[in-house]
Amino acid sequence: MEERQTFWDKMQEKGYTRRDFLKFCAWIGAASGLQASSIGSLVHAMETKPRPPVLWFHFQECTCCSESFVRSSHPIVADVVLDHISLDYTETLQAAAGHQAEEARRHTMEKYKGQYLMLVEGSIPTAANGVYCCIGGHTALDIVKEAAAGAAAIVAWGNCAYAGCVQGAKPNPTQATPIRDIIKGKPIVNVPGCPPIPEVMAGTIVHYLAFGRLPQLDSQGRPKAFYSRRVHDTCYRRPNYDAGLFVETFDDENARKGYCLYKVGCRGPVTYNACAVTKWNEATSFPIQSGHGCIGCSEAGNWDNAPLYEHLPGVLGYTSETDADTVGMVAAGITTAALGVHALTANARKRKQIRKQIEESPGGK
Amino acid sequence: MEQKGPSRVTFYVWQLPVRLFHWINALCIVLLIITGYLIGNPVALQNSQEAHMGHWFGTVRLIHFAAAYVFLFAWIYRIIYAFMGNQYARWTNYLPLSQKQWDEFKDVIAIDIFMMVEERKIHSPGHNSVACLSYLFLGLASVFQIASGFGLLAPMSEWWIADLFTWIVPMMDGDTNVRFWHHLMMWFFVIFTMVHVYIVAFHDYVEARGTTSSMIGGWKFVEEKDLQK
């Protein structure tokens, strides 16, 4: 396998027709927000560019990102992009094990130094020199640094690699750290979510494989095509929000009518993701459509922003459900009491001054 | 019958741009507090309308955003005027950098807050330095509200003004925190307004210098004997 095949070569081997191939290119192009005129260059790239080698690392994670990816609504994603993406190393799916697997990883890292794409699922524990996550006798921290040094680009899958997710929540005992805080000076694309939407993952990867560069990113390093808008701003229940029609409790009439879930803690207004557009499971549904608010799984710190069923977090995080308004009202109450005391005192202490002024004024007495 | 009161010196303290700013700002703050509170805690209006038939919550938000733009421009206007206005409007009043300001600060705390001293010579017919400090905090809180508010609006705004503030979202680690602090900071404005209105009334009641009306007409009246020579 000296000559790296192109996508089109691989698809022909797998028995896909030209028609299937073009349909796939059009579909993934549309899903990634490419304009129609770019589909031609996508097709051309898939026909001519050798597929770059890919290393997919698993650290502190639950593999839901991989699970999501293999459930993409387009079969070619799983069949070609994942299966034959030239995944030279991935703990979950590779046939090799133990020394063989490590050997495959080293081989790719040496042979394709500066060319391979590094996919990272999971966060990196940095407490106690990283002993909380070791693979093949090396800490995740060492592996990441070593692999990143020779990577052409890094894709950080999921909330773990983006922000630490569950294990990064307070008090974060293992000091779970996102990739972007460890690796500097390499192009990193963050694809947050728990897990990310499979089409979003496929779109990001195909964009890189086809064009050789990362898609356009926002200030947080997320592909703009998928993360530039809030779930709330693309939600099909949004008209209910603007009309002031809210679900008050999960079992009320309003819930049955499909009103906005804002008052039962939907985090759609603070969550950037494509759930309301791309949806899940072959575009069947997404959390809000199923009647439950968004929990903000693609946002940094979402597990610390408790309580989950309030749209604003509590003042002291998960330890207290005291909300901002309670604090504000108590402060306003104390202020009112202080002003009252001041007013009473003023009448006593300043009486002489006020009386003198009244007496001195014309017609005062 | 001829009566003679104490002779007073009349000062033209608040120029028209300052008065205009004050009332525009006050109106914006009241609107922003009411609409902001409603956005955080929408009232449950029971009706059987379809969503397309109503837009009251959208209207509340529209008022909030419109008032926010006015609030922003009013502050820009006031900051520019801090370099153009008279001695009472100048920016130097609002930064407590001189010893003189801190001396006045101690006096005001003693006279007005703890009421330990009965009468006083006034330092200036303009703001006293405690008031100035409270306006500095108001200004800083306003900057935060403007930055966080427009930062949150930016993804749905097509105007570059809101885009100027997108930096605050990554700085504060996401929309949730920005929203939370934006909401909590609203209470600063509630409490500021309460104290501000009370203190103005207190000064008027005790000192008879026309403190309240000065923000309408611009004039303050100080007894000659109270003036520091």
Side-chain angles (χ1 to χ4, degrees), chain A residues 220 230 233 238 241-243 248 262-263 270 272 311 325 328-329 336 342-343 347 349-350 353 357 362-363, chain B residues 3 39-42 44 55 57-58 61 111-112 115 118 152 155-156 170 175 179 183 187 194 198 205-206:
Chain A
Q220 295 298 285
R230 300 178 183 107
D233 294 332
R238 179 56 185 267
Y241 174 82
D242 287 329
E248 301 288 334
Y262 180 63
K263 287 177 84 173
V270 291
Y272 292 81
H311 67 85
D325 288 333
M329 281 176 200
T336 309
H342 190 274
N347 275 303
R349 305 273 309 175
K350 303 278 187 187
Q353 187 186 344
Q357 275 169 177
Chain B
Q3 280 181 324
I39 292 168
N41 305 277
H55 200 260
F57 198 61
R61 296 174 80 243
I111 297 164
D112 292 331
M115 297 179 281
E118 275 238 325
L152 288 170
M156 288 304 282
D175 276 21
R179 238 173 140 252
H183 193 85
W187 287 99
M194 288 165 56
Y198 169 81
Y205 179 59
V206 173

Side-chain angles (χ1 to χ4, degrees), chain A residues 97-248:
Chain A
H99 292 296
Q100 269 185 321
E102 291 303 304
E103 183 56 38
R105 175 169 69 84
R106 301 219 154 271
H107 177 75
T108 305
M109 280 168 53
E110 277 156 31
K111 189 169 176 196
Y112 298 102
K113 199 166 168 51
Q115 296 171 44
Y116 60 84
L117 182 62
M118 177 179 175
L119 311 182
V120 182
E121 196 176 336
S123 55
I124 317 297
T126 55
N129 291 323
V131 294
Y132 295 110
C133 180
C134 290
I135 299 159
H138 300 282
T139 64
L141 192 59
D142 288 342
I143 296 171
V144 152
K145 282 181 178 165
E146 190 190 357
I154 301 171
V155 178
W157 289 142
N159 196 323
C160 296
Y162 169 67
C165 205
V166 179
Q167 65 278 17
K170 286 169 194 156
N172 192 1
T174 64
Q175 286 303 309
T177 309
I179 301 303
R180 55 183 171 155
D181 290 349
I182 292 176
I183 306 300
K184 304 283 177 195
K186 283 277 169 188
I188 298 179
V189 51
N190 292 301
V191 187
C194 190
I197 303 170
E199 280 68 34
V200 168
M201 300 175 78
T204 306
I205 283 272
V206 169
H207 190 286
Y208 180 80
L209 299 180
F211 298 117
R213 57 186 149 81
L214 299 179
Q216 207 186 358
L217 305 179
D218 67 8
S219 64
Q220 295 298 285
R222 302 171 295 193
K224 273 190 177 171
F226 308 111
Y227 294 96
S228 62
R229 306 194 69 192
R230 300 178 183 107
V231 172
H232 185 58
D233 294 332
T234 46
C235 181
Y236 79 103
R237 295 195 185 199
R238 179 56 185 267
N240 294 286
Y241 174 82
D242 287 329
L245 299 172
F246 298 105
V247 173
E248 301 288 334

Side-chain angles (χ1 to χ4, degrees), chain A residues 245-314:
Chain A
L245 299 172
F246 298 105
V247 173
E248 301 288 334
T249 56
F250 278 111
D251 56 355
D252 67 5
E253 181 64 20
N254 297 353
R256 240 165 293 149
K257 285 180 179 162
Y259 286 173
C260 175
L261 297 161
Y262 180 63
K263 287 177 84 173
V264 287
C266 182
R267 295 291 170 89
V270 291
T271 304
Y272 292 81
N273 209 334
C275 297
V277 180
T278 310
K279 300 195 187 175
W280 290 80
N281 301 323
E282 302 182 32
T284 306
S285 183
F286 70 111
I288 295 166
Q289 191 174 339
S290 312
H292 190 284
C294 167
I295 64 166
C297 77
S298 58
E299 287 295 309
N302 70 306
W303 297 111
D304 290 327
N305 292 330
L308 274 181
Y309 293 96
E310 301 285 342
H311 67 85
L312 280 176

Side-chain angles (χ1 to χ4, degrees), chain B residues 23-39:
Chain B
W23 292 113
I24 291 170
N25 202 30
L27 179 70
C28 287
I29 288 176
V30 170
L31 281 176
L32 287 166
I33 288 173
I34 295 170
T35 53
Y37 186 81
L38 276 174
I39 292 168

Side-chain angles (χ1 to χ4, degrees), chain B residues 136-150:
Chain B
L136 177 66
F137 286 128
L138 182 76
L140 293 175
S142 300
V143 168
F144 177 76
Q145 290 302 72
I146 288 167
S148 55
F150 282 105

